[in-house]
Amino acid sequence: CVGLGFGLGLGALGLWLGAGRDGRFLIAALVFGLMALPAAAVFDCAKGWPRWVMAGIATFLLATGLTSVGVICLLDPPANSTLGSIGMGAFTTFLIGSFASQWIANVLISQTPKR
């Protein structure tokens, strides 16, 4: 999971460098690279509700990240279109969520569920 995220991120970064620094590939590199952090945090949480909560956060971030990559990178809508706004909104949500998930992960890692 984590290695796949880093691998896809490095691949997209290589495409960004090789394709004339096209911003679409940089967005894909950021999404795949930053997705590795919450994915790794899932396995740092104790079994039980902390792991399920972190897995839910990671799944939400994966959905918003893939939405942004799909819309921005694959569909390539015009800048001021509704579809472009959806893609950038998903990317903004992903960025804010990926940084916030690090603090949430620290709280969840410190929790010990009662069995």
Side-chain angles (χ1 to χ4, degrees):
C1 224
V2 177
L4 179 65
F6 277 131
L8 289 172
L10 286 174
L13 189 61
L15 285 172
W16 176 71
L17 289 170
R21 302 193 187 238
D22 187 357
R24 296 177 299 159
F25 295 120
L26 185 59
I27 288 175
L30 283 170
V31 167
F32 293 127
L34 287 175
M35 192 58 222
L37 297 171
V42 170
F43 301 106
D44 287 335
C45 294
K47 288 183 181 179
W49 69 267
R51 187 172 288 181
W52 283 105
V53 170
M54 194 63 215
I57 292 169
T59 303
F60 172 76
L61 290 174
L62 180 65
T64 57
L66 289 179
T67 298
S68 68
V69 168
V71 171
I72 295 169
C73 299
L74 300 177
L75 298 178
D76 195 22
N80 294 327
S81 67
T82 303
L83 196 56
S85 296
I86 290 170
M88 286 309 293
F91 184 62
T92 303
T93 302
F94 173 80
L95 284 179
I96 293 169
S98 66
F99 290 115
S101 73
Q102 300 309 300
W103 282 283
I104 296 169
N106 283 330
V107 170
L108 290 173
I109 289 169
S110 68
Q111 300 298 313
T112 304
K114 296 178 183 176
R115 300 188 193 268

